[in-house]
Amino acid sequence: PIAALLVGDPSVSGEKEVAYATYIILKCIARRPLQDEVLCQLCNQTWLNPNDLNAERGWLLMSLCLSCFSPSEQLYPYLLCYITSHGFEGYRAMCQHKLLRFHGRQSRCYPPSLLEFTASSQQKVMTVEVLLPDGTSQRVLVDSATTAAELGNMVARCAGVPRPSGWTVTGACKGGAGAHDSKDVVSKVFESEANVLDWVSQLEVPAMAQKLCARTDATTPGVATAATDIDSGSGIAGGGSGGAADA
């Protein structure tokens, strides 16, 4: 299985590791039955694994998978118990949080963004800085399950709005997918339940596909990319009264 290859092959690292993880998660998103299968493979690969490096890679992939989809109702309690009892160092709390946050939600449409990959590999949290209409800004925590409504309401709460509800966000990116040149700004007004980081992932897909042609063999599944693919002009804008946020 490709999950076993990613966990056990030390030569799969750097951009290739991102490529393989992206490929696995894209397949899982497209085919629901694969989600439980891959999660079970990762439990098998990490169970009493004597190699800490391989175990950590398995837990990283587990974290990335749980950033995009939740297990079936049948598998959910067993996976939660396994993570709680056997989670690897900082990945225990991270995977618990993602599992609880995504429970009962629809799978995402895109694999994790490079921001999420970096945060998971370093076991860090993610924040966005939101620029408000009056020129001030608020930095708020986000995770892989954060919706536009959740982000908008968090920003409104930080800004002192009593009982905030009904807020959303707008995304803006210079030179993103759909732009005619690097100076054009592509914007998107999110529906309240839209996943915010899915849009970031969507913007990265064209760049990753270009590198796939240049850097991966025709017989090698996956999508290659690097952290430098993230356009510094991309951002998320706070809705309701307006505003902007840069990840």
Side-chain angles (χ1 to χ4, degrees):
I2 191 170
L5 175 64
L6 178 59
V7 173
D9 187 349
S11 68
V12 180
S13 60
E15 291 186 351
K16 187 180 287 187
E17 184 177 16
V18 177
Y20 276 44
T22 299
Y23 173 80
I24 292 169
I25 295 170
L26 279 172
K27 286 293 187 181
C28 288
I29 290 172
R31 299 176 60 188
R32 179 66 181 87
L34 282 179
Q35 296 177 9
D36 278 5
E37 180 180 341
V38 168
L39 291 172
C40 288
Q41 285 182 20
L42 291 173
C43 290
N44 182 59
Q45 292 295 319
T46 55
W47 167 250
L48 298 180
N49 193 320
N51 187 311
D52 285 350
L53 177 59
N54 289 349
E56 184 172 8
R57 286 155 63 92
W59 282 105
L60 170 59
L61 182 54
M62 178 85 77
S63 172
L64 294 172
C65 287
L66 296 177
S67 296
C68 294
F69 55 83
S70 180
S72 65
E73 290 293 332
Q74 293 80 7
L75 180 59
Y76 178 85
Y78 299 101
L79 183 60
L80 179 58
C81 180
Y82 176 75
I83 291 171
T84 302
S85 302
H86 304 286
F88 185 85
E89 297 182 353
Y91 284 106
R92 177 187 290 111
M94 179 181 292
C95 289
Q96 284 176 327
H97 174 77
K98 292 184 178 185
L99 189 59
L100 293 170
R101 280 280 285 150
F102 255 103
H103 184 53
R105 301 194 183 202
Q106 294 291 326
S107 299
R108 287 173 52 177
C109 299
Y110 291 88
S113 64
L114 294 174
L115 172 64
E116 294 170 90
F117 192 95
T118 301
S120 290
S121 63
Q122 297 179 2
Q123 300 173 29
K124 303 291 186 181
V125 297
M126 298 178 291
T127 66
V128 293
E129 184 178 13
V130 182
L131 304 181
L132 303 176
D134 60 0
T136 62
S137 65
Q138 293 285 346
R139 183 165 290 278
V140 295
L141 288 171
V142 295
D143 61 25
S144 297
T146 299
T147 65
E150 289 172 339
L151 179 57
N153 291 336
M154 281 190 291
V155 172
R157 187 178 298 109
C158 291
V161 177
R163 297 182 181 180
S165 64
W167 292 68
T168 186
V169 292
T170 300
C173 175
K174 292 182 179 179
H180 296 292
D181 58 51
S182 60
K183 295 182 180 180
D184 287 347
V185 176
V186 177
S187 62
K188 175 181 176 63
V189 177
F190 294 95
E191 296 181 1
S192 61
E193 295 305 311
N195 185 287
V196 173
L197 292 181
D198 241 1
W199 182 69
V200 178
S201 301
Q202 182 182 4
L203 293 173
E204 293 173 356
V205 166
M208 292 194 296
Q210 292 173 10
K211 290 202 170 186
L212 171 64
C213 299
R215 299 188 182 185
T216 61
D217 186 88
T219 60
T220 302
V223 181
T225 187
T228 53
D229 288 338
I230 298 180
D231 190 323
S232 60
S234 64
I236 300 169
S241 307
D246 293 325

